[in-house]
């Protein structure tokens, strides 16, 4: 099986899994062993060519480029979620340097 045939098979399997009535949970598991990890991540952000959205693209070593299309509201939500997650990361791993007073506007 060559790379193109393998990629096509992976896409078919992913489509079959997505159609399975047993959905993935709405939130990712806390156990890192239950997550696919991307290391040395390549990513790219650009406006979508086909809609008034932003594309956030990630290069997965096994799946290739994956596109996440986000509306402006979703981009703003992602921005605020990243701010709050960064603050939580600081307090979780070093409570003495917690960021305080983040303006959520």
């Amino acid at each position: 099986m060559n790379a193109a045939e393998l990629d096509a098979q992976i896409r078919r399997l992913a489509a079959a899994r997505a159609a399975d009535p047993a959905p993935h949970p709405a939130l990712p598991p806390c156990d890192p062993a239950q997550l696919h990890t991307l290391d040395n991540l390549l990513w790219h952000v650009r406006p979508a060519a086909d809609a008034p959205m932003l594309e956030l693209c990630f290069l997965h070593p096994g799946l290739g480029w994956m596109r996440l299309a986000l509306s402006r509201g979703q981009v703003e939500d992602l921005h605020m979620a990243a701010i709050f997650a960064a603050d939580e990361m600081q307090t979780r791993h070093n409570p003495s340097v917690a960021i305080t007073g983040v303006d959520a506007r």
Side-chain angles (χ1 to χ4, degrees):
M1 184 178 298
N2 65 34
E5 292 168 333
L6 183 58
D7 285 345
Q9 180 67 12
I10 289 169
R11 287 182 184 271
R12 283 191 295 275
L13 289 170
R17 176 60 182 98
D20 188 313
H24 291 284
L27 294 174
C30 292
D31 179 3
Q34 295 179 354
L35 295 167
H36 297 284
T37 299
L38 300 174
D39 191 18
N40 197 17
L41 181 66
L42 293 177
W43 54 274
H44 186 75
V45 178
R46 64 184 178 200
D50 57 349
M53 302 182 94
L54 188 78
E55 289 182 344
L56 184 52
C57 302
F58 302 97
L59 181 59
H60 185 281
L63 301 174
W65 280 101
M66 300 188 315
R67 169 187 180 243
L68 176 62
L70 301 167
S71 68
R72 182 175 182 91
Q74 290 172 312
V75 170
E76 291 169 359
D77 290 346
L78 177 61
H79 177 240
M80 291 311 304
I83 289 172
F84 289 120
D87 187 39
E88 182 181 345
M89 177 180 63
Q90 290 292 331
T91 56
R92 182 177 295 175
H93 297 287
N94 189 356
S96 66
V97 296
I99 301 170
T100 58
V102 173
D103 186 355
R105 287 180 270 156

